[in-house]
Amino acid sequence: MKFILSLFSVLLATNLIAQKHKPFTGKLVYKIEIRDTNMRQFYPENRMIVYTNDTITRIENFTEQLGKQVVIRHLELNKSYTLINTPKGDFAIKVDHNKAPDETDSIAKKTYTLDKKCGKEKILEMKAKKLIVEHPDLEESEQYLYLKSYSNSYLNNFEDSPGLLVKYSIASPDGQLDYELIEFKEYLPERDLFGIPDNYRRVTIDEFVAIMTNQELNPEEGN
């Protein structure tokens, strides 16, 4: 009887952990702005768009230098494809994050510390909780905001966040980049958003580098 009660307690605890965050399907739009006002003429305000069906995410970033960049990531398998357009063709660079953890995630884990703080602020009429964040490149701690009800797994950073970050910043070589959620829309995105287009060549990062540096072997040379 004790064994059955213990097993029930474990299963109950596991279920409670699994239900900690509500599933989310829909679209998130973040405004990105460089904090240094003197740099804004070189780095105009930008956008990051996230689509998810709660199993796969599609993250779109836009820059004047590289145009649109798309990362499609399977949350359960922890694998992703980065879609890139080049003069040599369109490529889908595949990464198994179980074997090669994302460098950005690793850096965030090692250098950022996140501590909960009392108090709330409203973002898009939603009550967001506060985090105090410290980083070696920051002269003083910063305050982030997050939604407790939703997981931060839909973003590709700060895996230790207790909820979906809606206002945060990232240290970059050009300065501090501030992210703020400006659109939160719940719906079921079209399935095609999460697929790899047929005209994209699937390659590993090593294969992509070889192609870009003209080191790819011709089929005849590989025999």
Side-chain angles (χ1 to χ4, degrees), residues 30 131 144-146 152 155 158 161 163-168:
Y30 288 82
L131 285 175
Y144 290 4
L145 298 176
Y146 71 96
N152 200 55
L155 304 180
F158 301 105
S161 173
L164 176 66
L165 289 173
V166 293
K167 193 172 184 179
Y168 64 99

Side-chain angles (χ1 to χ4, degrees), residues 42-222:
F42 306 108
Y43 297 91
E45 184 180 298
N46 214 329
R47 295 286 187 273
M48 179 178 75
I49 302 176
V50 181
Y51 299 94
T52 181
N53 60 10
D54 199 46
T55 301
I56 305 174
T57 61
R58 175 190 175 99
I59 300 180
E60 298 181 356
N61 282 285
F62 304 85
T63 64
E64 290 187 357
Q65 296 85 355
L66 300 175
K68 184 166 77 171
Q69 304 153 62
V70 177
V71 176
I72 297 174
R73 186 164 183 167
H74 197 294
L75 300 177
E76 295 177 356
L77 299 180
N78 204 21
K79 297 180 180 181
S80 70
Y81 282 93
T82 300
L83 307 185
I84 295 181
N85 307 110
T86 78
K88 294 190 175 184
D90 300 331
F91 297 90
I93 303 174
K94 52 188 175 183
V95 176
D96 185 344
H97 298 274
N98 299 300
K99 298 178 181 178
D102 186 274
E103 184 178 349
T104 303
D105 290 349
S106 299
I107 292 174
K109 285 181 180 180
K110 292 178 182 177
T111 59
Y112 284 86
T113 58
L114 290 74
D115 295 310
K116 295 180 182 178
K117 179 185 176 183
C118 294
K120 297 179 180 180
E121 287 187 18
K122 277 196 173 182
I123 290 284
L124 299 177
E125 300 303 315
M126 297 181 291
K127 292 181 179 180
K129 303 194 73 173
K130 299 178 181 180
L131 285 175
I132 295 299
V133 181
E134 295 183 351
H135 184 277
D137 292 341
L138 300 176
E139 294 182 359
E140 55 186 24
S141 61
E142 296 198 345
Q143 177 178 285
Y144 290 4
L145 298 176
Y146 71 96
L147 298 177
K148 181 181 178 181
S149 299
Y150 299 96
S151 169
N152 200 55
S153 61
Y154 309 115
L155 304 180
N156 282 343
N157 50 37
F158 301 105
E159 290 183 351
D160 294 332
S161 173
L164 176 66
L165 289 173
V166 293
K167 193 172 184 179
Y168 64 99
S169 63
I170 293 178
S172 78
D174 298 310
Q176 202 73 6
L177 298 176
D178 293 325
Y179 289 69
E180 181 176 347
L181 186 69
I182 59 172
E183 183 178 338
F184 181 95
K185 182 180 179 181
E186 292 189 271
Y187 73 106
L188 186 60
E190 294 181 9
R191 183 177 179 182
D192 290 347
L193 277 174
F194 306 107
I196 309 299
D198 292 337
N199 60 308
Y200 278 73
R201 180 178 172 185
R202 304 187 187 207
V203 296
T204 65
I205 184 64
D206 291 336
E207 291 170 338
F208 178 74
V209 170
I211 293 169
M212 291 297 104
T213 56
N214 298 317
Q215 295 178 10
E216 182 184 26
L217 290 176
N218 292 324
E220 295 79 8
E221 296 174 331

Side-chain angles (χ1 to χ4, degrees), residues 1-19:
M1 185 66 177
K2 289 183 178 180
F3 173 76
I4 294 176
L5 289 174
S6 299
L7 180 60
F8 177 76
S9 298
V10 171
L11 291 174
L12 179 60
T14 302
N15 184 62
L16 289 174
I17 292 172
Q19 297 299 320

